[in-house]
Amino acid sequence: MLYYLSLLKHDISFLNLFSYITFRAGGAIFTALILVLFIGPAVIRKLSSYKIQQYQRADGPASHLSKQGTPTMGGVMILVSLLVTVLLWARLDSRYIWLLSFTTVMLSAAGIADDYTKLVKKNPQGAPSWVKFTLQILTSFVVVFFLTMYPPNAAYISKLSVPFFNQLFINLSFFYLIFAMLLIVGSSNATNLTDGLDGLAAGSMILCAGTYAIFAYLAGNINFAEYLKIIYVPGAGEITVFLCALLGACLGFLWYNTYPAQVFMGDTSSLFLGGVLGVSALCVKQELLLPLAGGIFVAETLSVMLQMLYFRATGGKRLFKMAPLHHHFELKGWAEPKVTVRFWIIGIMLTLLSLASLKIR
């Protein structure tokens, strides 16, 4: 909304600042961060008063039993801060802003339904899996259908750009639609699986969102896109503003979620955070970069899948001490903060490697 103040730049030259994506992206980080810090204490108190508290499984790591009773559904702080910040700093005539906002609202609804069933209705199974899965499939279908009708770049509508290679593309043709839907659903669930240690999901999301914010800015600038040999996506710069708002909200949430956590995000935000990453990857035409930039999320998901397959193939034996992967290291004797920080370090390395792909081609 503040962008439209730049229309008055001929009368007040200072207002021209609001036309710059970099200025609005910086403002979005700061605004989202301050909003979460401001509303955080009240939200935590309210969640505690309603006894919307974490339920710890008896078969989980023993160190997690102390978390019993910690307020959860704190992801509502990220949700509210993100939407308010986007409303203030983004261009509301951008199709990408509306697409990302749609994804946020739909997948947060799936997460809220699951958290409400677990925490308020006291059903540890949560909402029926078909409810979450239906909302995820519906959201991904609408997004992919929209991007098919109004592609980011019509010349590359079904092509995947291969990182680290100059002008190397994989044409999936019709199968791109299926791939794109799987990318959104998969990234949504991957983030959800990663949300198991204090600060792990929020910290990893900051790194991944920051990576795609940079790629969105570069893809939206025709000069940078041509120089770096990446796909030019007109209007992609606004995705930078959205992702910076998300980054700021996660930074603010980390203030309360760092070890020992005062509040957990729950499915309320973990599902939509991953979904937004998937949609961003599709919009900036950097789909194959997501497994690299979001390598932590991929590793966590693969550990669960491999654990299940190995368990069935061997008649009950386990490949890992416990899945997702972060619990495996906990049961090996690593302290929770050590696991989190070491995963962050790996995430930073993956971020730098992802950014290096801009020049290594």
PDB file of all heavy atoms in Angstrom, residues 192-228:
ATOM      1  N   ASN A 192       7.005 -28.826   7.771  1.00  0.00           N
ATOM      2  CA  ASN A 192       6.249 -29.330   8.910  1.00  0.00           C
ATOM      3  C   ASN A 192       7.048 -30.391   9.675  1.00  0.00           C
ATOM      4  O   ASN A 192       7.073 -30.409  10.906  1.00  0.00           O
ATOM      5  CB  ASN A 192       4.919 -29.911   8.413  1.00  0.00           C
ATOM      6  CG  ASN A 192       4.013 -30.362   9.543  1.00  0.00           C
ATOM      7  OD1 ASN A 192       3.614 -31.505   9.599  1.00  0.00           O
ATOM      8  ND2 ASN A 192       3.696 -29.457  10.446  1.00  0.00           N
ATOM      9  N   LEU A 193       7.738 -31.272   8.946  1.00  0.00           N
ATOM     10  CA  LEU A 193       8.541 -32.318   9.579  1.00  0.00           C
ATOM     11  C   LEU A 193       9.763 -31.742  10.291  1.00  0.00           C
ATOM     12  O   LEU A 193      10.228 -32.288  11.299  1.00  0.00           O
ATOM     13  CB  LEU A 193       9.001 -33.334   8.525  1.00  0.00           C
ATOM     14  CG  LEU A 193       7.922 -34.248   7.929  1.00  0.00           C
ATOM     15  CD1 LEU A 193       8.485 -35.050   6.766  1.00  0.00           C
ATOM     16  CD2 LEU A 193       7.357 -35.182   8.998  1.00  0.00           C
ATOM     17  N   THR A 194      10.281 -30.627   9.770  1.00  0.00           N
ATOM     18  CA  THR A 194      11.484 -30.017  10.340  1.00  0.00           C
ATOM     19  C   THR A 194      11.190 -29.300  11.650  1.00  0.00           C
ATOM     20  O   THR A 194      12.092 -29.069  12.466  1.00  0.00           O
ATOM     21  CB  THR A 194      12.101 -29.019   9.326  1.00  0.00           C
ATOM     22  OG1 THR A 194      12.318 -29.703   8.088  1.00  0.00           O
ATOM     23  CG2 THR A 194      13.416 -28.456   9.809  1.00  0.00           C
ATOM     24  N   ASP A 195       9.933 -28.952  11.879  1.00  0.00           N
ATOM     25  CA  ASP A 195       9.549 -28.195  13.073  1.00  0.00           C
ATOM     26  C   ASP A 195       9.477 -29.132  14.278  1.00  0.00           C
ATOM     27  O   ASP A 195       8.392 -29.487  14.746  1.00  0.00           O
ATOM     28  CB  ASP A 195       8.200 -27.507  12.840  1.00  0.00           C
ATOM     29  CG  ASP A 195       7.774 -26.674  14.027  1.00  0.00           C
ATOM     30  OD1 ASP A 195       8.663 -26.164  14.733  1.00  0.00           O
ATOM     31  OD2 ASP A 195       6.553 -26.537  14.247  1.00  0.00           O
ATOM     32  N   GLY A 196      10.657 -29.516  14.787  1.00  0.00           N
ATOM     33  CA  GLY A 196      10.681 -30.431  15.924  1.00  0.00           C
ATOM     34  C   GLY A 196      11.647 -30.025  17.022  1.00  0.00           C
ATOM     35  O   GLY A 196      11.626 -30.589  18.105  1.00  0.00           O
ATOM     36  N   LEU A 197      12.497 -29.046  16.733  1.00  0.00           N
ATOM     37  CA  LEU A 197      13.434 -28.539  17.732  1.00  0.00           C
ATOM     38  C   LEU A 197      13.280 -27.031  17.841  1.00  0.00           C
ATOM     39  O   LEU A 197      12.898 -26.367  16.870  1.00  0.00           O
ATOM     40  CB  LEU A 197      14.884 -28.871  17.342  1.00  0.00           C
ATOM     41  CG  LEU A 197      15.277 -30.344  17.240  1.00  0.00           C
ATOM     42  CD1 LEU A 197      16.757 -30.454  16.893  1.00  0.00           C
ATOM     43  CD2 LEU A 197      14.975 -31.100  18.518  1.00  0.00           C
ATOM     44  N   ASP A 198      13.621 -26.500  18.994  1.00  0.00           N
ATOM     45  CA  ASP A 198      13.494 -25.055  19.227  1.00  0.00           C
ATOM     46  C   ASP A 198      14.338 -24.276  18.220  1.00  0.00           C
ATOM     47  O   ASP A 198      15.563 -24.411  18.181  1.00  0.00           O
ATOM     48  CB  ASP A 198      13.942 -24.706  20.644  1.00  0.00           C
ATOM     49  CG  ASP A 198      13.089 -25.368  21.714  1.00  0.00           C
ATOM     50  OD1 ASP A 198      12.089 -26.017  21.342  1.00  0.00           O
ATOM     51  OD2 ASP A 198      13.422 -25.247  22.900  1.00  0.00           O
ATOM     52  N   GLY A 199      13.667 -23.476  17.388  1.00  0.00           N
ATOM     53  CA  GLY A 199      14.360 -22.596  16.453  1.00  0.00           C
ATOM     54  C   GLY A 199      14.792 -23.236  15.153  1.00  0.00           C
ATOM     55  O   GLY A 199      15.242 -22.526  14.247  1.00  0.00           O
ATOM     56  N   LEU A 200      14.662 -24.556  15.007  1.00  0.00           N
ATOM     57  CA  LEU A 200      15.190 -25.221  13.813  1.00  0.00           C
ATOM     58  C   LEU A 200      14.443 -24.818  12.549  1.00  0.00           C
ATOM     59  O   LEU A 200      15.061 -24.415  11.552  1.00  0.00           O
ATOM     60  CB  LEU A 200      15.134 -26.742  13.992  1.00  0.00           C
ATOM     61  CG  LEU A 200      15.639 -27.565  12.802  1.00  0.00           C
ATOM     62  CD1 LEU A 200      17.070 -27.195  12.451  1.00  0.00           C
ATOM     63  CD2 LEU A 200      15.524 -29.062  13.099  1.00  0.00           C
ATOM     64  N   ALA A 201      13.126 -24.935  12.554  1.00  0.00           N
ATOM     65  CA  ALA A 201      12.347 -24.613  11.356  1.00  0.00           C
ATOM     66  C   ALA A 201      12.417 -23.122  11.036  1.00  0.00           C
ATOM     67  O   ALA A 201      12.595 -22.738   9.874  1.00  0.00           O
ATOM     68  CB  ALA A 201      10.888 -25.051  11.537  1.00  0.00           C
ATOM     69  N   ALA A 202      12.275 -22.267  12.053  1.00  0.00           N
ATOM     70  CA  ALA A 202      12.290 -20.816  11.822  1.00  0.00           C
ATOM     71  C   ALA A 202      13.643 -20.369  11.283  1.00  0.00           C
ATOM     72  O   ALA A 202      13.718 -19.591  10.324  1.00  0.00           O
ATOM     73  CB  ALA A 202      11.964 -20.074  13.116  1.00  0.00           C
ATOM     74  N   GLY A 203      14.740 -20.871  11.867  1.00  0.00           N
ATOM     75  CA  GLY A 203      16.068 -20.485  11.404  1.00  0.00           C
ATOM     76  C   GLY A 203      16.350 -20.962   9.994  1.00  0.00           C
ATOM     77  O   GLY A 203      16.907 -20.223   9.176  1.00  0.00           O
ATOM     78  N   SER A 204      15.955 -22.196   9.696  1.00  0.00           N
ATOM     79  CA  SER A 204      16.160 -22.741   8.353  1.00  0.00           C
ATOM     80  C   SER A 204      15.324 -21.988   7.326  1.00  0.00           C
ATOM     81  O   SER A 204      15.764 -21.760   6.194  1.00  0.00           O
ATOM     82  CB  SER A 204      15.798 -24.232   8.334  1.00  0.00           C
ATOM     83  OG  SER A 204      16.597 -24.963   9.250  1.00  0.00           O
ATOM     84  N   MET A 205      14.130 -21.578   7.724  1.00  0.00           N
ATOM     85  CA  MET A 205      13.249 -20.837   6.829  1.00  0.00           C
ATOM     86  C   MET A 205      13.831 -19.463   6.514  1.00  0.00           C
ATOM     87  O   MET A 205      13.736 -18.992   5.360  1.00  0.00           O
ATOM     88  CB  MET A 205      11.862 -20.689   7.469  1.00  0.00           C
ATOM     89  CG  MET A 205      10.846 -19.960   6.614  1.00  0.00           C
ATOM     90  SD  MET A 205      10.561 -20.730   5.001  1.00  0.00           S
ATOM     91  CE  MET A 205      10.057 -22.369   5.503  1.00  0.00           C
ATOM     92  N   ILE A 206      14.460 -18.819   7.478  1.00  0.00           N
ATOM     93  CA  ILE A 206      15.085 -17.511   7.257  1.00  0.00           C
ATOM     94  C   ILE A 206      16.133 -17.610   6.155  1.00  0.00           C
ATOM     95  O   ILE A 206      16.195 -16.772   5.247  1.00  0.00           O
ATOM     96  CB  ILE A 206      15.710 -16.989   8.571  1.00  0.00           C
ATOM     97  CG1 ILE A 206      14.612 -16.573   9.548  1.00  0.00           C
ATOM     98  CG2 ILE A 206      16.655 -15.821   8.309  1.00  0.00           C
ATOM     99  CD1 ILE A 206      15.113 -16.330  10.963  1.00  0.00           C
ATOM    100  N   LEU A 207      16.952 -18.648   6.220  1.00  0.00           N
ATOM    101  CA  LEU A 207      18.017 -18.832   5.226  1.00  0.00           C
ATOM    102  C   LEU A 207      17.443 -19.098   3.839  1.00  0.00           C
ATOM    103  O   LEU A 207      17.883 -18.500   2.847  1.00  0.00           O
ATOM    104  CB  LEU A 207      18.923 -19.991   5.653  1.00  0.00           C
ATOM    105  CG  LEU A 207      19.718 -19.775   6.945  1.00  0.00           C
ATOM    106  CD1 LEU A 207      20.393 -21.071   7.374  1.00  0.00           C
ATOM    107  CD2 LEU A 207      20.746 -18.676   6.762  1.00  0.00           C
ATOM    108  N   CYS A 208      16.462 -19.971   3.773  1.00  0.00           N
ATOM    109  CA  CYS A 208      15.897 -20.344   2.477  1.00  0.00           C
ATOM    110  C   CYS A 208      15.091 -19.197   1.869  1.00  0.00           C
ATOM    111  O   CYS A 208      15.185 -18.934   0.660  1.00  0.00           O
ATOM    112  CB  CYS A 208      15.015 -21.584   2.649  1.00  0.00           C
ATOM    113  SG  CYS A 208      14.833 -22.566   1.145  1.00  0.00           S
ATOM    114  N   ALA A 209      14.310 -18.510   2.692  1.00  0.00           N
ATOM    115  CA  ALA A 209      13.532 -17.373   2.191  1.00  0.00           C
ATOM    116  C   ALA A 209      14.455 -16.256   1.722  1.00  0.00           C
ATOM    117  O   ALA A 209      14.191 -15.600   0.702  1.00  0.00           O
ATOM    118  CB  ALA A 209      12.595 -16.862   3.284  1.00  0.00           C
ATOM    119  N   GLY A 210      15.552 -16.038   2.449  1.00  0.00           N
ATOM    120  CA  GLY A 210      16.512 -15.019   2.040  1.00  0.00           C
ATOM    121  C   GLY A 210      17.149 -15.342   0.696  1.00  0.00           C
ATOM    122  O   GLY A 210      17.342 -14.460  -0.147  1.00  0.00           O
ATOM    123  N   THR A 211      17.441 -16.622   0.479  1.00  0.00           N
ATOM    124  CA  THR A 211      18.016 -17.053  -0.794  1.00  0.00           C
ATOM    125  C   THR A 211      17.068 -16.760  -1.945  1.00  0.00           C
ATOM    126  O   THR A 211      17.458 -16.179  -2.972  1.00  0.00           O
ATOM    127  CB  THR A 211      18.324 -18.567  -0.762  1.00  0.00           C
ATOM    128  OG1 THR A 211      19.244 -18.840   0.292  1.00  0.00           O
ATOM    129  CG2 THR A 211      18.904 -19.028  -2.088  1.00  0.00           C
ATOM    130  N   TYR A 212      15.807 -17.134  -1.783  1.00  0.00           N
ATOM    131  CA  TYR A 212      14.852 -16.921  -2.868  1.00  0.00           C
ATOM    132  C   TYR A 212      14.463 -15.459  -3.024  1.00  0.00           C
ATOM    133  O   TYR A 212      14.077 -15.030  -4.116  1.00  0.00           O
ATOM    134  CB  TYR A 212      13.613 -17.813  -2.674  1.00  0.00           C
ATOM    135  CG  TYR A 212      13.770 -19.133  -3.383  1.00  0.00           C
ATOM    136  CD1 TYR A 212      14.195 -20.257  -2.708  1.00  0.00           C
ATOM    137  CD2 TYR A 212      13.549 -19.238  -4.758  1.00  0.00           C
ATOM    138  CE1 TYR A 212      14.391 -21.467  -3.367  1.00  0.00           C
ATOM    139  CE2 TYR A 212      13.732 -20.429  -5.432  1.00  0.00           C
ATOM    140  CZ  TYR A 212      14.156 -21.539  -4.727  1.00  0.00           C
ATOM    141  OH  TYR A 212      14.357 -22.711  -5.398  1.00  0.00           O
ATOM    142  N   ALA A 213      14.577 -14.679  -1.949  1.00  0.00           N
ATOM    143  CA  ALA A 213      14.337 -13.237  -2.074  1.00  0.00           C
ATOM    144  C   ALA A 213      15.370 -12.616  -3.014  1.00  0.00           C
ATOM    145  O   ALA A 213      15.041 -11.770  -3.862  1.00  0.00           O
ATOM    146  CB  ALA A 213      14.401 -12.572  -0.702  1.00  0.00           C
ATOM    147  N   ILE A 214      16.619 -13.056  -2.893  1.00  0.00           N
ATOM    148  CA  ILE A 214      17.690 -12.557  -3.776  1.00  0.00           C
ATOM    149  C   ILE A 214      17.453 -12.999  -5.211  1.00  0.00           C
ATOM    150  O   ILE A 214      17.558 -12.203  -6.158  1.00  0.00           O
ATOM    151  CB  ILE A 214      19.061 -13.045  -3.272  1.00  0.00           C
ATOM    152  CG1 ILE A 214      19.381 -12.402  -1.920  1.00  0.00           C
ATOM    153  CG2 ILE A 214      20.150 -12.735  -4.298  1.00  0.00           C
ATOM    154  CD1 ILE A 214      20.605 -12.965  -1.244  1.00  0.00           C
ATOM    155  N   PHE A 215      17.100 -14.267  -5.402  1.00  0.00           N
ATOM    156  CA  PHE A 215      16.855 -14.768  -6.748  1.00  0.00           C
ATOM    157  C   PHE A 215      15.648 -14.072  -7.389  1.00  0.00           C
ATOM    158  O   PHE A 215      15.660 -13.785  -8.592  1.00  0.00           O
ATOM    159  CB  PHE A 215      16.629 -16.287  -6.721  1.00  0.00           C
ATOM    160  CG  PHE A 215      17.884 -17.084  -6.890  1.00  0.00           C
ATOM    161  CD1 PHE A 215      18.680 -17.385  -5.799  1.00  0.00           C
ATOM    162  CD2 PHE A 215      18.294 -17.528  -8.143  1.00  0.00           C
ATOM    163  CE1 PHE A 215      19.854 -18.111  -5.938  1.00  0.00           C
ATOM    164  CE2 PHE A 215      19.457 -18.248  -8.299  1.00  0.00           C
ATOM    165  CZ  PHE A 215      20.253 -18.552  -7.196  1.00  0.00           C
ATOM    166  N   ALA A 216      14.626 -13.786  -6.592  1.00  0.00           N
ATOM    167  CA  ALA A 216      13.443 -13.111  -7.128  1.00  0.00           C
ATOM    168  C   ALA A 216      13.803 -11.702  -7.593  1.00  0.00           C
ATOM    169  O   ALA A 216      13.352 -11.244  -8.656  1.00  0.00           O
ATOM    170  CB  ALA A 216      12.349 -13.054  -6.064  1.00  0.00           C
ATOM    171  N   TYR A 217      14.614 -11.011  -6.795  1.00  0.00           N
ATOM    172  CA  TYR A 217      15.016  -9.652  -7.171  1.00  0.00           C
ATOM    173  C   TYR A 217      15.813  -9.658  -8.467  1.00  0.00           C
ATOM    174  O   TYR A 217      15.585  -8.833  -9.364  1.00  0.00           O
ATOM    175  CB  TYR A 217      15.840  -9.026  -6.044  1.00  0.00           C
ATOM    176  CG  TYR A 217      16.321  -7.635  -6.364  1.00  0.00           C
ATOM    177  CD1 TYR A 217      15.446  -6.555  -6.319  1.00  0.00           C
ATOM    178  CD2 TYR A 217      17.639  -7.400  -6.734  1.00  0.00           C
ATOM    179  CE1 TYR A 217      15.873  -5.275  -6.628  1.00  0.00           C
ATOM    180  CE2 TYR A 217      18.076  -6.123  -7.044  1.00  0.00           C
ATOM    181  CZ  TYR A 217      17.186  -5.059  -6.992  1.00  0.00           C
ATOM    182  OH  TYR A 217      17.615  -3.793  -7.310  1.00  0.00           O
ATOM    183  N   LEU A 218      16.738 -10.597  -8.589  1.00  0.00           N
ATOM    184  CA  LEU A 218      17.579 -10.680  -9.786  1.00  0.00           C
ATOM    185  C   LEU A 218      16.770 -11.104 -11.005  1.00  0.00           C
ATOM    186  O   LEU A 218      16.963 -10.579 -12.106  1.00  0.00           O
ATOM    187  CB  LEU A 218      18.733 -11.657  -9.545  1.00  0.00           C
ATOM    188  CG  LEU A 218      19.720 -11.265  -8.442  1.00  0.00           C
ATOM    189  CD1 LEU A 218      20.717 -12.382  -8.194  1.00  0.00           C
ATOM    190  CD2 LEU A 218      20.447  -9.969  -8.796  1.00  0.00           C
ATOM    191  N   ALA A 219      15.850 -12.057 -10.818  1.00  0.00           N
ATOM    192  CA  ALA A 219      15.028 -12.528 -11.935  1.00  0.00           C
ATOM    193  C   ALA A 219      14.087 -11.449 -12.433  1.00  0.00           C
ATOM    194  O   ALA A 219      13.709 -11.433 -13.612  1.00  0.00           O
ATOM    195  CB  ALA A 219      14.240 -13.776 -11.524  1.00  0.00           C
ATOM    196  N   GLY A 220      13.690 -10.536 -11.546  1.00  0.00           N
ATOM    197  CA  GLY A 220      12.766  -9.476 -11.929  1.00  0.00           C
ATOM    198  C   GLY A 220      13.424  -8.284 -12.588  1.00  0.00           C
ATOM    199  O   GLY A 220      12.732  -7.373 -13.049  1.00  0.00           O
ATOM    200  N   ASN A 221      14.743  -8.278 -12.629  1.00  0.00           N
ATOM    201  CA  ASN A 221      15.491  -7.189 -13.266  1.00  0.00           C
ATOM    202  C   ASN A 221      16.120  -7.720 -14.550  1.00  0.00           C
ATOM    203  O   ASN A 221      16.985  -8.589 -14.506  1.00  0.00           O
ATOM    204  CB  ASN A 221      16.580  -6.681 -12.311  1.00  0.00           C
ATOM    205  CG  ASN A 221      17.318  -5.474 -12.843  1.00  0.00           C
ATOM    206  OD1 ASN A 221      17.945  -5.530 -13.896  1.00  0.00           O
ATOM    207  ND2 ASN A 221      17.258  -4.373 -12.104  1.00  0.00           N
ATOM    208  N   ILE A 222      15.681  -7.220 -15.687  1.00  0.00           N
ATOM    209  CA  ILE A 222      16.110  -7.785 -16.966  1.00  0.00           C
ATOM    210  C   ILE A 222      17.621  -7.694 -17.173  1.00  0.00           C
ATOM    211  O   ILE A 222      18.238  -8.602 -17.763  1.00  0.00           O
ATOM    212  CB  ILE A 222      15.353  -7.105 -18.144  1.00  0.00           C
ATOM    213  CG1 ILE A 222      15.615  -7.888 -19.437  1.00  0.00           C
ATOM    214  CG2 ILE A 222      15.739  -5.636 -18.274  1.00  0.00           C
ATOM    215  CD1 ILE A 222      14.710  -7.472 -20.575  1.00  0.00           C
ATOM    216  N   ASN A 223      18.249  -6.637 -16.663  1.00  0.00           N
ATOM    217  CA  ASN A 223      19.700  -6.494 -16.821  1.00  0.00           C
ATOM    218  C   ASN A 223      20.466  -7.547 -16.011  1.00  0.00           C
ATOM    219  O   ASN A 223      21.397  -8.181 -16.516  1.00  0.00           O
ATOM    220  CB  ASN A 223      20.137  -5.088 -16.409  1.00  0.00           C
ATOM    221  CG  ASN A 223      19.564  -4.015 -17.314  1.00  0.00           C
ATOM    222  OD1 ASN A 223      19.513  -4.186 -18.529  1.00  0.00           O
ATOM    223  ND2 ASN A 223      19.099  -2.922 -16.727  1.00  0.00           N
ATOM    224  N   PHE A 224      20.057  -7.726 -14.759  1.00  0.00           N
ATOM    225  CA  PHE A 224      20.699  -8.745 -13.923  1.00  0.00           C
ATOM    226  C   PHE A 224      20.430 -10.145 -14.468  1.00  0.00           C
ATOM    227  O   PHE A 224      21.325 -11.002 -14.472  1.00  0.00           O
ATOM    228  CB  PHE A 224      20.192  -8.640 -12.479  1.00  0.00           C
ATOM    229  CG  PHE A 224      20.726  -7.466 -11.715  1.00  0.00           C
ATOM    230  CD1 PHE A 224      19.918  -6.769 -10.830  1.00  0.00           C
ATOM    231  CD2 PHE A 224      22.041  -7.047 -11.883  1.00  0.00           C
ATOM    232  CE1 PHE A 224      20.410  -5.687 -10.123  1.00  0.00           C
ATOM    233  CE2 PHE A 224      22.547  -5.968 -11.178  1.00  0.00           C
ATOM    234  CZ  PHE A 224      21.732  -5.278 -10.291  1.00  0.00           C
ATOM    235  N   ALA A 225      19.188 -10.390 -14.891  1.00  0.00           N
ATOM    236  CA  ALA A 225      18.818 -11.718 -15.391  1.00  0.00           C
ATOM    237  C   ALA A 225      19.641 -12.096 -16.624  1.00  0.00           C
ATOM    238  O   ALA A 225      20.124 -13.229 -16.744  1.00  0.00           O
ATOM    239  CB  ALA A 225      17.329 -11.758 -15.713  1.00  0.00           C
ATOM    240  N   GLU A 226      19.803 -11.143 -17.532  1.00  0.00           N
ATOM    241  CA  GLU A 226      20.583 -11.420 -18.745  1.00  0.00           C
ATOM    242  C   GLU A 226      22.060 -11.610 -18.415  1.00  0.00           C
ATOM    243  O   GLU A 226      22.712 -12.501 -18.960  1.00  0.00           O
ATOM    244  CB  GLU A 226      20.405 -10.284 -19.745  1.00  0.00           C
ATOM    245  CG  GLU A 226      19.013 -10.237 -20.381  1.00  0.00           C
ATOM    246  CD  GLU A 226      18.882  -9.114 -21.389  1.00  0.00           C
ATOM    247  OE1 GLU A 226      19.824  -8.285 -21.484  1.00  0.00           O
ATOM    248  OE2 GLU A 226      17.839  -9.056 -22.079  1.00  0.00           O
ATOM    249  N   TYR A 227      22.587 -10.804 -17.516  1.00  0.00           N
ATOM    250  CA  TYR A 227      23.997 -10.902 -17.157  1.00  0.00           C
ATOM    251  C   TYR A 227      24.308 -12.236 -16.464  1.00  0.00           C
ATOM    252  O   TYR A 227      25.340 -12.863 -16.720  1.00  0.00           O
ATOM    253  CB  TYR A 227      24.386  -9.734 -16.256  1.00  0.00           C
ATOM    254  CG  TYR A 227      25.779  -9.826 -15.703  1.00  0.00           C
ATOM    255  CD1 TYR A 227      26.897  -9.651 -16.520  1.00  0.00           C
ATOM    256  CD2 TYR A 227      25.989 -10.107 -14.340  1.00  0.00           C
ATOM    257  CE1 TYR A 227      28.185  -9.748 -16.015  1.00  0.00           C
ATOM    258  CE2 TYR A 227      27.277 -10.212 -13.834  1.00  0.00           C
ATOM    259  CZ  TYR A 227      28.366 -10.034 -14.666  1.00  0.00           C
ATOM    260  OH  TYR A 227      29.637 -10.144 -14.163  1.00  0.00           O
ATOM    261  N   LEU A 228      23.400 -12.652 -15.566  1.00  0.00           N
ATOM    262  CA  LEU A 228      23.621 -13.878 -14.788  1.00  0.00           C
ATOM    263  C   LEU A 228      23.101 -15.132 -15.478  1.00  0.00           C
ATOM    264  O   LEU A 228      23.226 -16.222 -14.940  1.00  0.00           O
ATOM    265  CB  LEU A 228      22.967 -13.732 -13.410  1.00  0.00           C
ATOM    266  CG  LEU A 228      23.560 -12.637 -12.516  1.00  0.00           C
ATOM    267  CD1 LEU A 228      22.677 -12.394 -11.311  1.00  0.00           C
ATOM    268  CD2 LEU A 228      24.971 -13.010 -12.076  1.00  0.00           C
TER     269      LEU A 228
END
